[in-house]
Amino acid sequence: SLHLAVMLFGIAGVLGQFVTAPAVIVAGGRVICSVVLLAIFSVVSKSQVRLKVRKDYAIVVFAGIVLAIHWTTFFQSIQSSSVAIGTITFSTFPLFLTFLEPVIFRERIRIGSILGAAVLMLGVSSPFLSFNGKSDNYRDLLGMVSSLSYAVLTLANRYLSGRYVARTICLYEQGTAAIVLLPAFFL
């Protein structure tokens, strides 16, 4: 199951490279399909989908908005550069987690995490610099926004996963992202 999940996650980037539709449409189509399937599954399995606390609705809606930003910038990064660049920049999300997690969850920051973040940044930045030392800022920025938004989404999911099953969290997040991205289909 894990290998299948990794393959399906990775193939999103490859497919995103070959789709000629704008990134916002690709992201919107993805979350609309996801929410429809999750809703059907929830109805068929008679899953509990109500959230327990009113504050959790605000968090899950915020996470859905962040998810819409993540997918749109991820696909735009891939379309404006390559699958490799989009995936590498997206993979920097642990860098953001290193510094956001202690702030959000009031945990102590670890020196090992800072050193790991420094090595990650060094490794990730090397493919972006051309031989003359210049970088494509737009491409890099899109990938980093995708990465930062994924880190924020991860933190929201860390909080929510202690209270709800993943299927319920995903239903709300994907549903919110679908609503946020739906107007793009009419513009």
Side-chain angles (χ1 to χ4, degrees), residues 41-184:
F41 186 78
S42 295
V43 168
V44 169
S45 66
K46 298 178 182 168
S47 299
Q48 172 64 22
V49 294
R50 293 191 65 138
L51 302 182
K52 300 170 188 168
V53 182
R54 184 178 296 230
K55 175 180 123 178
D56 293 346
Y57 284 101
I59 293 171
V60 82
V61 166
F62 169 75
I65 293 167
V66 171
L67 180 65
I69 293 166
H70 164 68
W71 278 120
T72 302
T73 55
F74 176 72
F75 285 121
Q76 185 63 48
S77 174
I78 286 173
Q79 289 178 344
S80 66
S81 60
S82 68
V83 176
I85 297 298
T87 304
I88 288 170
T89 53
F90 158 72
S91 298
T92 62
F93 77 90
L95 174 73
F96 294 108
L97 283 176
T98 297
F99 299 103
L100 290 174
E101 208 165 23
V103 172
I104 302 296
F105 291 106
R106 295 183 176 97
E107 299 170 345
R108 226 176 106 209
I109 193 163
R110 295 182 299 260
I111 297 298
S113 296
I114 293 173
L115 292 174
V119 170
L120 173 67
M121 195 61 193
L122 186 66
V124 166
S125 64
S126 62
F128 299 109
L129 298 175
S130 62
F131 290 112
N132 64 6
K134 293 184 179 176
S135 173
D136 183 351
N137 293 331
Y138 176 71
R139 174 189 68 196
D140 299 351
L141 179 64
L142 284 171
M144 296 310 272
V145 170
S146 171
S147 179
L148 174 60
S149 60
Y150 190 75
V152 171
L153 181 66
T154 300
L155 293 172
N157 284 339
R158 175 180 166 189
Y159 170 81
L160 292 166
S161 66
R163 300 169 180 255
Y164 307 101
V165 296
R167 182 174 48 249
T168 301
I169 298 167
C170 286
L171 179 65
Y172 280 98
E173 288 175 354
Q174 302 281 331
T176 301
I179 291 167
V180 167
L181 295 173
L182 192 60

